Amino acid sequence: MTEQNNSTEHPTIGISVVTLFPALVMSVAGSGVTGRAVERQRLSLATYNPRDYTTDTHRTVDDRPYGGGPGMVMMAEPLEEAIDSALEENSAQKDALVVYLSPQGQRLDHNLVCELAQLPGLVLVAGRYEGVDERLLESRIDREISIGDYVLSGGELAAMVVIDAVARQLPGVLGHSDSAKQDTFAGTGLLEHPQYTRPEQYRGMQVPEVLTGGNHEDIRLWRKKKSLERTRQRRPELLAQLELSSEDRRLLQEIEVEKTDRSDN
Ligand code: ADE
């Protein structure tokens, strides 16, 4: 278990994952933003394998469903023991939220990620097979979270998505202190503007002139306009939820006029 950092300026979040595949989950600690969060002691990660909490020689964690049907169901007891160990061993997790990852849960979005990132601890329970015994969900799970309307083979990848998204929101984790604020959905609620890097000409395609002109105000307006245009084209429902400034409205009008001009020609 990674040691806790008790600095109040940069509190640590402790995330434990209950999983049959600990190596898969711990791979997030080895690289990228999540790796940096662990290194900088903003995030402590631990895994608890329900198989380690079985008492029979076969280390059984699943059984056939009552009432029949295909597949296997994860048994409540090994999962419950693993959750208890996570809560007992990790001091940050005394007040941890116990989350079960499943397609039946609340859909993960930016607001939920920010809410989770404020917590002292999380215990993420990754299920496998056809599901877990409902009595475990009723008695030990505080919240059920889904990462989208599709079915994964297990909760591990979903837990890793939660860990990555939460780690990005922890103070002192991203290289540039503002980059999480500039993310799509953060702050502005808009999709991101396009980005370009060298070379200036690539296979006959030129970087937009405004970005190489050095006028910061022009660049800011161009980016805002592209964000608005993209959001309106791709996710109009997001735009409808926003309170637009007079500048936003003016830029949207410009976009509308340019669109009409293009279709007239
Ligand atoms: N487990 C299986 N599918 C899932 C999903 N879509 N979200 C979260 N956990 C899952």
Side-chain angles (χ1 to χ4, degrees):
M1 175 98 39
T2 315
E3 219 174 273
Q4 296 297 303
N5 175 332
N6 293 321
S7 144
T8 47
E9 196 194 342
H10 286 314
T12 300
I13 185 168
I15 302 185
S16 294
V17 185
V18 173
T19 172
L20 291 170
F21 299 91
L24 172 61
V25 171
M26 285 313 278
S27 67
V28 300
S31 59
V33 166
T34 40
R36 200 183 317 146
V38 171
E39 209 175 284
R40 295 187 180 170
Q41 299 187 13
R42 302 288 173 255
L43 167 66
S44 76
L45 266 186
T47 53
Y48 293 83
N49 191 337
R51 224 177 270 291
D52 295 337
Y53 300 89
T54 52
T55 46
D56 64 318
T57 45
H58 295 104
R59 305 177 81 204
T60 311
V61 291
D62 60 334
D63 209 334
R64 285 163 300 157
Y66 275 114
M72 301 289 268
V73 176
M74 288 185 80
M75 296 156 77
E77 194 170 3
L79 285 169
E80 175 152 28
E81 301 272 330
I83 293 169
D84 282 343
S85 278
L87 293 172
E88 276 161 25
E89 284 175 26
N90 188 339
S91 62
Q93 304 205 330
K94 290 269 180 304
D95 303 313
L97 189 75
V98 183
V99 173
Y100 176 55
L101 284 315
S102 97
Q104 280 88 44
Q106 177 187 355
R107 187 92 71 84
L108 188 70
D109 64 10
H110 178 69
N111 288 336
L112 182 51
V113 168
C114 291
E115 211 182 293
L116 299 178
Q118 307 285 325
L119 298 172
L122 282 173
V123 177
L124 303 177
V125 180
R128 284 261 137 188
Y129 314 120
E130 310 311 307
V132 314
D133 192 307
E134 188 67 19
R135 293 166 295 184
L136 185 272
L137 303 185
E138 278 170 13
S139 59
R140 300 307 308 271
I141 300 297
D142 300 320
R143 202 136 170 193
E144 222 165 306
I145 293 178
S146 162
I147 62 160
D149 290 340
Y150 41 82
V151 180
L152 301 166
S153 324
E156 281 77 11
L157 289 173
M160 290 158 83
V161 165
V162 170
I163 294 167
D164 186 280
V166 165
R168 299 178 57 76
Q169 299 304 323
L170 302 173
V173 167
L174 291 184
H176 186 290
S177 62
D178 271 338
S179 21
K181 285 192 201 119
Q182 284 169 12
D183 275 356
T184 293
F185 305 127
T188 66
L190 296 170
L191 300 187
E192 262 190 280
H193 55 75
Q195 297 277 21
Y196 300 85
T197 187
R198 286 191 292 180
E200 231 177 283
Q201 274 265 7
Y202 176 69
R203 302 204 196 284
M205 293 174 280
Q206 182 74 34
V207 172
E209 216 175 311
V210 62
L211 298 180
T212 54
N215 183 322
H216 296 302
E217 179 59 6
D218 286 354
I219 292 171
R220 185 188 69 78
L221 284 171
W222 182 88
R223 287 180 164 164
K224 178 101 158 295
K225 190 165 164 181
K226 287 290 171 193
S227 280
L228 285 161
E229 189 174 20
R230 231 174 216 195
T231 312
R232 205 183 59 173
Q233 266 170 3
R234 299 182 188 183
R235 301 289 304 275
E237 81 285 6
L238 289 179
L239 200 57
Q241 288 163 14
L242 293 177
E243 263 184 50
L244 298 174
S245 67
S246 54
E247 182 178 270
D248 295 338
R249 282 194 296 273
R250 180 174 60 74
L251 291 170
L252 280 166
Q253 250 164 17
E254 279 179 29
I255 293 165
E256 194 57 45
V257 170
E258 284 162 17
K259 204 173 113 198
T260 318
D261 285 354
R262 272 200 304 272
S263 55
D264 284 352
N265 290 329

